[in-house]
Amino acid sequence: MPRRIRPPRRPSSALTALGLFAAARLTGAAALALAAWLGGQRPLAVLGRTWDSLWYLGIAAHGYGARTLRFGPDIVQSDLAFFPLYPALIRALRTLLPFLSGGACGLLVAWTAALAAALGIHRVAARLYGPVTASLAVVLWGLLPHAVVLSLGYTEPLLTALAAWALYAVLNGNWLWAGSLAALAGLARPNGCAVAAAVVAAALLEVLRRRGRVVPRLWTGALLAPMGWCAYVLWVGVRTGDPLGGYFTVQRHWGSSFDLGAGAARTVKELLLHGDRFAVPRTMSLLIVAAAVLLYVLLLLDRAPLPLLVYSGVLLLVAVGGSGFFESKPRFLLPAFPLLLPLAAALARTWRTRPAQALTVLGALAGFSTAYGAYLVVYAHTPL
């Protein structure tokens, strides 16, 4: 009898998605490094020590209170505005690998978190839409105009990773995992409270559905979810002498507050009437925020699960309704990956019938993301 030959196993869609995501971000990082080198800057310094990265590295090295910048009586930039999980991970990694610099440790944490986030996004999307849409959602996330942030020493990859896996745990009914990951997300970024809101909303819906007859793990997870965010906000408040309002005072001194979009509206008005030296990044920010609102409407029409709607809705509300650096709003929306799911599903349908057109769209996104990311970090000189 002839020996039976098994056909080679095809790689899973998750591995394919991770490979495409890694290729996209490595290309973006290489373009950014090249632009920095041509501009007379050190590529590794640009990747690991850009804008907020310096604050996180300072906290990792010296703790809180070591750096405060004063620009007037009402503008005081304190490191208390930055949440502690990312610098804690940098410090822990620096302790384990003392031969690495703080910037290198920060990049290692951020890049690892970006890969974990990509895998989590794939798991969520595959559960709801199937493997093709899941892979395209991961690729789209890696090709967003502000996806360059995923190659820098920033906290968005960490928040997205914790959020994606927390939402995946909720969808599977793993309440303890969901609450624990949501608590960690609340220690990663101010808008990490969106993860806790999603977990609590899903838990309340389950309680209503089952008329209160739920497992104790659900209550435990729901209670755990907001603890990280609340703990840090209260700690800053106690440290500043105002337990309930101290953290929000710190944010106000940075120029950040929740004003239902009044500050953003003034910025848009000035941009449209007069323009300024940040016209290109601000125009792009305006277009991205408008696109995010439209994608949220599509997510609603698609009847996405409640946790995804609540999570994306809170992130969108914070971005649209908060004042502060208008150019940073697209970065705040980077963790809102569920907004990409309707777009990925439409692209998956195009892929099945007209693959050449789908490839053209992805190629155009890749080219624009790579070029705009390098421009944003090296040439625009605008806050990220």
Side-chain angles (χ1 to χ4, degrees):
M1 295 291 291
R3 185 169 60 90
R4 185 177 180 181
I5 300 176
R6 293 183 180 180
R9 294 182 61 186
R10 297 178 61 187
S12 69
S13 63
L15 290 178
T16 303
L18 285 179
L20 292 172
F21 172 79
R25 293 315 329 137
L26 286 174
T27 302
L32 176 58
L34 178 61
W37 180 73
L38 292 176
Q41 303 180 52
R42 292 181 301 162
L44 286 179
V46 171
L47 288 169
R49 305 179 68 86
T50 297
W51 294 104
D52 288 359
S53 302
L54 293 172
W55 290 92
Y56 287 114
L57 292 176
I59 296 169
H62 308 292
Y64 284 98
R67 186 183 185 195
T68 300
L69 302 179
R70 299 180 182 274
F71 299 95
D74 297 325
I75 303 178
V76 181
Q77 296 181 349
S78 166
D79 56 12
L80 291 173
F82 297 90
F83 277 53
L85 182 58
Y86 180 58
L89 291 174
I90 295 175
R91 187 164 191 163
L93 188 60
R94 188 79 192 278
T95 302
L96 292 174
L97 305 173
F99 53 88
L100 290 180
S101 66
C105 290
L107 286 176
L108 189 56
V109 171
W111 292 351
T112 303
L115 288 174
L119 183 57
I121 292 170
H122 187 277
R123 288 290 178 87
V124 172
R127 192 183 190 283
L128 299 175
Y129 293 88
V132 176
T133 298
S135 297
L136 289 171
V138 172
V139 173
L140 287 174
W141 187 61
L143 295 179
L144 289 173
H146 280 65
V148 65
V149 174
L150 303 177
S151 300
L152 304 177
Y154 268 67
T155 54
E156 275 70 23
L158 181 60
L159 173 59
T160 310
L162 294 168
W165 287 102
L167 292 173
Y168 183 69
V170 168
L171 294 175
N172 287 288
N174 296 325
W175 295 103
L176 288 180
W177 273 110
S180 301
L181 291 169
L184 289 174
L187 291 170
R189 284 197 52 77
N191 53 356
C193 60
V195 188
V199 173
V200 172
L204 290 177
L205 179 62
E206 191 70 9
V207 170
L208 291 175
R209 236 181 229 163
R210 298 182 177 275
R211 299 182 179 181
R213 291 189 286 270
V214 294
V215 295
R217 292 191 300 274
L218 182 145
W219 295 108
T220 306
L223 289 173
L224 276 174
M227 282 191 176
W229 191 87
C230 292
Y232 183 70
V233 169
L234 287 174
W235 179 81
V236 173
V238 170
R239 179 157 176 158
T240 58
D242 181 5
L244 296 181
Y247 170 77
F248 303 101
T249 301
V250 169
Q251 288 287 3
R252 268 197 311 275
H253 287 164
W254 269 85
S256 298
S257 62
F258 188 78
D259 58 5
L260 297 177
R266 286 193 298 270
T267 302
V268 172
K269 180 181 177 181
E270 290 295 321
L271 174 66
L272 296 177
L273 294 179
H274 308 292
D276 55 27
R277 66 190 183 95
F278 296 140
V280 173
R282 285 183 174 176
T283 301
M284 182 58 64
S285 298
L286 177 61
L287 293 175
I288 290 173
V289 171
V293 173
L294 175 60
L295 290 173
Y296 188 71
V297 173
L298 294 178
L299 195 66
L300 286 169
L301 295 176
D302 203 32
R303 300 176 67 182
L306 179 67
L308 273 64
L309 292 174
V310 172
Y311 169 68
S312 302
V314 173
L315 288 177
L316 190 58
L317 182 64
V318 171
V320 174
S323 64
F325 297 112
F326 191 80
E327 304 84 352
S328 299
K329 291 185 181 295
R331 175 168 65 85
F332 299 159
L333 289 170
L334 266 180
F337 68 89
L339 297 178
L340 299 173
L341 296 181
L343 191 59
L347 193 59
R349 291 191 292 270
T350 304
W351 182 272
R352 295 186 186 99
T353 57
R354 298 183 296 277
Q357 293 185 11
L359 282 174
T360 301
V361 171
L362 291 176
L365 287 174
F368 180 75
S369 175
T370 301
Y372 185 70
Y375 160 79
L376 195 63
V377 177
V378 177
Y379 300 109
H381 303 295
T382 180
L384 285 175

